[in-house]
Amino acid sequence: MTPANSPAPDSPLPTASELVRKARDFRLRMAVIDCETDAALDMTRDRHGRTVHADAAAAARAHRDKAAVEAYTTHLAPHAEALLDAARLALDDLPPARHLTGWRAVLDGLATSAAEIRRALDRPAAPGSPAERAQHAALWPHLTAWADHSPIASNLADQRDGRHHKAPLTDEEQQLWTDRARAAQIRGALELTESWYAADGQPITLAYLVEDDDSTVVALRGDPGVPGWQVIGHFAHEYEAGKALPAPVPPGVLRSDISRFNRPAPAPELSLQDLIRDVVEGHSAGDASNALLGAVQRGYAAGPMVRLQELLETTSQFASALETVQGRQIAARLSALGRQIEFLTREVEEAAEDLGATVAVLPPHRTPVLRTRPRPAVDTTPPAPPPRASTTARHR
């Protein structure tokens, strides 16, 4: 394999926009690989998520690893270092902000992964050999690091391209528009539509300011839920606002160790439909009791009610992590709902145990009904169908 980690000596240096496009193409290809792999792995599992075809699952992952290496070689190998250099230059020019330390660590991690990938591409194993599969598997974490985190490098390089500019208002205009927007917020005529963070770490929110049946797009800096926010611009439409306002930076993550390309294997679980079917098809109180206990089961193969509580708790953490007044209020509501689900789960568990303790079966007079009716004799006339109600034809 010919090393493809640096451009030809006589080729012009790529622009920032070209570097960003190459990184985007790699991420798009990785997203396709991820979807294809998920579909292949689903074929190796039973309906509860347990892997039942281990060899096919291993083959799907090996194909995934090889395709990811090829995608990096095609799109990023010649440009990774240039992209990181452009991102570091842009990072040095930014004003101090809380997220810059984390971004610098991300760039350092991407540089380490790029070096590991470059060493492997310079010394490839024999095609199709077990050594090649092992080499590709070892590169998978580094490839997914680029797929997960290269948007930060791309955003920094893109900002250094100088395509985004602010159009600040004068102090007098800013105060006038801020007063109008606050008055509209009090009467419920300030409709928030979109929010992002600028490179300096300040939140920016677009909103429609409605006055006398007319609306204007305004941009707010700060948390709209607390006093102190200000209008930093007004525009005829959102497209104009996007061109004038500071560019959005990549949003944060709830948990720093999460990767869409390295999800843990799904835990086996029973769906509510399966549990309901078990009750309908059951005959004894124990059958119904076991279905209820399955819904409240805890641990690795947790039941739907326990998963619902986990969903509420995780969403509460997300709302709190937004670090806004409304986010904290919603987090408290979700946390309270989670406690209610926990109480309900314990009640269901007790009721299930009591039901199982009844040691009873359904009475025999609850006779099943045959789903197939006996066929009429050959010489009999089938019953006439019921008369159809006359309806008036409608013409459009």
Side-chain angles (χ1 to χ4, degrees), residues 69-233:
V69 171
E70 293 173 348
Y72 185 92
T73 302
T74 300
H75 299 293
L76 264 182
H79 310 289
E81 293 180 1
L83 177 63
L84 291 175
D85 289 342
R88 286 195 175 98
L89 289 174
L91 189 63
D92 293 338
D93 292 339
L94 293 180
R98 289 173 58 187
H99 58 273
L100 297 191
T101 300
W103 280 11
R104 199 174 299 278
V106 167
L107 296 182
D108 291 342
L110 291 177
T112 300
S113 291
E116 290 292 331
I117 299 170
R118 182 174 63 253
R119 278 193 287 269
L121 294 180
D122 290 342
R123 299 176 180 84
S129 65
E132 184 189 52
R133 289 194 293 272
Q135 187 180 62
H136 291 171
L139 290 180
W140 174 251
H142 300 292
L143 296 165
T144 58
W146 272 89
D148 281 322
H149 306 305
S150 61
I152 291 177
S154 295
N155 182 270
L156 285 166
D158 197 29
Q159 290 199 24
R160 186 164 179 81
D161 225 11
R163 295 184 295 108
H164 301 285
H165 307 278
K166 290 190 296 185
L169 301 173
T170 65
D171 292 343
E172 182 179 354
E173 290 175 326
Q174 186 177 73
Q175 188 61 49
L176 172 64
W177 279 94
T178 299
D179 291 342
R180 291 172 60 179
R182 288 176 180 169
Q185 185 183 47
I186 293 173
R187 64 177 185 269
L190 187 67
E191 180 183 349
L192 308 182
T193 62
E194 185 181 0
S195 180
W196 67 86
Y197 277 87
D200 61 0
Q202 287 295 316
I204 294 177
T205 304
L206 289 185
Y208 283 105
L209 171 61
V210 181
E211 295 175 314
D212 300 327
D213 296 330
D214 189 23
S215 63
T216 303
V217 176
V218 294
L220 321 177
R221 181 184 290 274
D223 182 358
V226 295
W229 56 267
Q230 293 181 320
V231 173
I232 60 172

Side-chain angles (χ1 to χ4, degrees), residues 285-307:
D287 296 332
S289 172
N290 288 335
L292 284 178
L293 290 174
V296 298
Q297 179 174 312
R298 304 174 189 274
Y300 174 66
M305 291 191 66
V306 176
R307 294 295 188 200

Side-chain angles (χ1 to χ4, degrees), residues 364-384:
H365 65 77
R366 301 186 65 87
T367 308
V369 177
L370 290 178
R371 296 181 62 86
T372 58
R373 297 180 179 180
R375 299 177 65 181
V378 178
D379 57 349
T380 59
T381 303

Side-chain angles (χ1 to χ4, degrees), residues 300-323:
Y300 174 66
M305 291 191 66
V306 176
R307 294 295 188 200
L308 175 59
Q309 184 187 0
E310 292 177 1
L311 173 62
L312 292 173
E313 291 175 351
T314 306
T315 311
S316 173
Q317 295 169 11
F318 185 96
S320 179
L322 295 175
E323 298 183 5

